[in-house]
Every structure is written in C-alpha cells, then in structure tokens.
Amino acid sequence: MTILILTGAGISAESGLGTFRDKDGLWTKYDLNEVATPEGFARNPKHVQTFYNARRANCRGATPNAAHVALGQLVSAREDVILVTQNVDDLHERGGATGVIHMHGELARALCAACDHRWDAPDEMSVDDPCPACGTKATRPDVVWFGEMPYHMERIYDAMAEVDLFVAIGTSGNVYPAAGFVTEAKQNGAETLELNLEPTDARGLFDAGRYGPASQVVPLWVDEVLGR
Ligand code: APR
C-alpha cells in the first residue's frame, strides 16, 4: 500500500505561519510578482532577500503543531508513506518526519544563481554574500518561484504511479503541478482524500473530505491509519 501525502500552507497555519490565499494571506500583503518570480528577484534582489529573511525568522520562531507531529509519527511507523510538501518551512522535519520531499524548495537552503551550488542558508541572507563555491554575488533562497520547475518531480511521479491513497492536507489546489496530483492519482486507481479547514474548490475531485483545523483532523486520520 503506498500512501502519498501532499501538504500545503494550511498545515502550518496553526503554527503561526501565514497561508497564501486566505483572507489575510501572504499574497494579499505582497505582490508575488515582486517576491516570488525570477524577474522580481532580478529587478530587486535586496527586496526579495529581505522578504525571505523575514519568512525564515518566522519559521525559526514557529513550532510544529499536532498535525506535523502526527505525520512525523506516520512516516516513522510506515515505510509506504511518502510525504511531499509545497511548504518551504522545516516544521515537518521538526515534527519528526524524515525524507520529506520539498517540491518548492526550502527556506533553510541557499542557492547560487550563477553555479547552482546549494548550502545551508544563514539566518539573514544578503545579496552581497559571495557563493561559497564560485564566489559570485548571486545568492538567492533555494525556493522555487513561479515560472520555475518544481524539484523532485520525477521522484514524485514515479511514486504516483504506485499510489493507492492520495491525501491532500491544507492546500487550496491552486498551483500546478501539485494541483494536478489528485487527478494523476485517480487515473492510477488511487483513492483520494482532502483534509482541509473547509472544502476547497477542488473538493469535487476527491473521493472524500474531512474538514476542520489540521491540528485536529490530521491526528485523528493518522490514528485511524495506524489503528491506534
Ligand atoms: N487547517 C487546515 N487547513 C487550513 C488551515 C488550518 N488551520 N488554515 C488554512 N487552511 C487551508 C485553507 O483553507 C486553504 O485551502 O490551507 C489552504 C491554504 O491554501 P494556500 O494559501 O493557497 O496555500 P497552498 O495551497 O499551500 O499554496 C500552494 O502556492 O504561492 C504558492 O508556493 C506557494 O506553495 C505555495 C503554493
């Protein structure tokens, strides 16, 4: 049995990290074209680094909630569980999950736009930081921006080919390719389940849905899967 779980910003909402599209979400406060595209970074790298330094500080100050911990227990208890996240925070890891597939990258990592070298990001990144490998001052957060190819897609689609149960947690299903995973899973004969604060626009694509705060809904679901 292969369970593939896809998480989004909603799983970290109760840890105090904002979502993107809820009423006071990040994209209601910032123009994503300015802070989440390669063009925005090219126009004003300092502004983008400041934006991600603030998000990195928020993450450092956040703690994993019961949903992260429950998924950490599930991943530890069952080899057939694959955890894919759209989130760039490290709350899954701090909640006990290992082998998390970060398809949108990680705030905790830095990337050299000149030579593709990656390293652990300092708390405060600056455009004046030279790349430790090539020395070029072209450092950026190692996160995937709009218009860029998400990471680990081959690994995700290989897993999707074997999936028996696909579970989307805390994601609005707005951004592809992640938004297409439920359809891919169904085409592969999987059952599909949405766990979210409330039904999303994609609800009709799922076989079933359970609604409420992730810190309540996810542990109950994990208890069921683990027969606890
Ligand atoms: N518990 C469960 N779900 C919640 C909670 C909560 N406490 N709070 C909010 N949600 C749900 C919302 O109902 C919504 O469906 O989380 C979802 C958040 O949706 P988005 O803000 O669109 O975030 P996400 O789906 O992760 O966005 C996907 O878009 O901007 C890009 O790269 C960014 O990875 C992100 C991607």
Side-chain angles (χ1 to χ4, degrees), residues 33-54:
N33 294 298
E34 295 308 313
V35 293
T37 62
E39 297 77 13
F41 182 68
R43 273 195 297 276
N44 190 340
K46 198 168 163 41
H47 176 55
V48 173
Q49 288 287 26
T50 304
F51 172 74
Y52 285 96
N53 287 340

Side-chain angles (χ1 to χ4, degrees), residues 7-11 13-14 19-22 27 86-87 104 144 146 170-175 195-198 200 212-215:
T7 63
I11 199 168
E14 291 162 88
T19 61
F20 294 94
R21 296 173 184 81
D22 286 327
W27 297 149
Q86 300 172 94
N87 300 340
H104 289 169
V144 176
F146 289 97
T171 180
S172 63
N174 264 292
V175 175
L195 305 181
N196 201 69
L197 185 63
E198 60 213 356
T200 68
S215 64

